[in-house]
Amino acid sequence: MVLLAAHKFSKKLEDHNSHTHHDAHHHHQSHHFSSSLQAFRSIASDSISQLPQSEILSLSWIHKFLCLLPPINDAFAKLLVDIDYPMSSWDPESVQAFLGYSMNLLDLFNSVSACLSHLGQARMSVSHGLSLLENSPSSATRHLKSIPPGSFNRSFGGDTNVEDREAKDFSGKQMVVHEAVNELMRIGFCVCGIFLSGLCSDWKPYLETRKIAGEFDGSSVFPLDSRINELMLISKIPVLKEIEEINNYVAKLIAASNAEKLDSAMELQKELHVLEKLVDDLSKEMDDFFGSVMTQRNELIDCFRLITTQPQKSVA
């Protein structure tokens, strides 16, 4: 009886130690996941906090914001390495979350590209008017008009549902990916919303992107969102600084006397060159990031095809 009691006690002790070890491992793992996610968020927040808030409605500021997207995307890739959760191991919910985010981001980029194309055509028309100014002033006047705002046609948001994203009880690696993808989405939607609102001279695109992203509270773009709310109260119609300046120069040229026209035309030509360079830089930055997101999507889709043909693994 003494030996039997000793054996039972020993067995209970082994079970207790085993459970204690498992709990300690789980706690360590959870702490590691939380630290990795926080490191990613810090990189995103620190990057965006470096943006000046004085000229948010300008192409030069938006270009600086777009240049932050690739390094933030790299930080997301590093996060996956830190938690040992490559895309080839993702669960269906994580795959769906990333595909939904990336598809909407690409749709937003397409909307921005359409507005940039419209802006480019308007710039060329003004430039053509300048070239006619000396020999055919009457013809020049037909082209020397203010750059009109672009049109906003919502074609995004179909694959993103706030309620679905927040209803699920995620944990472990799945939770980390879920939170990180939400942060990527808020950052991408924020910059595209600002860009579209400036190009269309309408706050509606920004309000729409913020709504689809599930608001920006608690994200790295929340300080920017607060500043934009202030701008909405100050200016009911958002206008990008560079476009506003060109429109002012156009008005100045039209009103100028014959003696002043040459100087006014030279000033306008200089601003048109600045705009052309900025649009080219913005388009290149967008094209490069568009390509990298497309590559990620294709890799994830290829991985998911393999996942669906293999037994599912635990992702806790």
Side-chain angles (χ1 to χ4, degrees), residues 65-75 285 289:
F65 197 158
L66 286 173
C67 287
L68 297 177
L69 297 185
I72 291 174
N73 211 39
D74 290 342
E285 196 67 39
F289 192 68

Side-chain angles (χ1 to χ4, degrees), residues 231-280:
L231 291 176
M232 287 182 189
L233 296 175
I234 297 170
S235 175
K236 299 298 182 182
I237 301 177
V239 181
L240 292 170
K241 173 190 171 187
E242 294 83 358
I243 295 176
E244 184 176 31
E245 288 179 347
I246 284 178
N247 288 344
N248 288 338
Y249 278 115
V250 168
K252 181 181 177 182
L253 175 58
I254 292 173
S257 65
N258 289 334
E260 298 170 330
K261 278 194 186 302
L262 180 59
D263 287 342
S264 296
M266 290 178 64
E267 289 174 341
L268 177 55
Q269 188 65 61
K270 180 181 177 182
E271 292 301 318
L272 288 171
H273 282 313
V274 170
L275 179 62
E276 182 180 19
K277 176 69 165 57
L278 271 171
V279 170
D280 286 345

Side-chain angles (χ1 to χ4, degrees), residues 50-187:
Q50 294 174 16
L51 291 169
Q53 293 194 8
S54 56
E55 291 185 350
I56 292 177
L57 287 173
S58 72
L59 292 174
S60 57
W61 184 91
I62 291 169
H63 182 250
K64 291 174 184 175
F65 197 158
L66 286 173
C67 287
L68 297 177
L69 297 185
I72 291 174
N73 211 39
D74 290 342
F76 175 72
K78 183 180 182 298
L79 169 66
L80 299 182
V81 173
D82 287 345
I83 65 173
D84 190 24
Y85 197 34
M87 286 183 168
S88 58
S89 302
W90 280 15
D91 59 281
E93 285 80 7
S94 296
V95 172
Q96 183 179 2
F98 187 87
L99 291 181
Y101 141 74
S102 57
M103 178 55 71
N104 280 295
L105 184 64
L106 296 179
D107 285 343
L108 277 168
F109 270 37
N110 283 330
S111 295
V112 171
S113 294
C115 288
L116 282 179
S117 178
H118 166 83
L119 175 59
Q121 292 170 5
R123 180 194 61 77
M124 288 176 64
S125 179
V126 175
S127 185
H128 181 57
L130 278 179
S131 70
L132 298 173
L133 189 62
E134 185 176 354
N135 297 322
S136 181
S138 59
S139 297
T141 304
R142 289 199 298 269
H143 294 277
L144 289 172
K145 296 179 179 179
S146 297
I147 294 176
S151 58
F152 173 58
N153 296 311
R154 175 174 162 177
S155 60
F156 54 90
D159 294 330
T160 302
N161 188 295
V162 176
E163 289 77 13
D164 287 349
R165 289 201 315 270
E166 296 182 351
K168 296 183 181 298
D169 184 20
F170 297 112
S171 62
K173 297 178 181 181
Q174 190 178 11
M175 180 275 295
V176 175
V177 170
H178 168 79
E179 293 293 332
V181 168
N182 275 348
E183 187 65 13
L184 287 176
M185 179 181 60
R186 289 178 177 123
I187 294 168

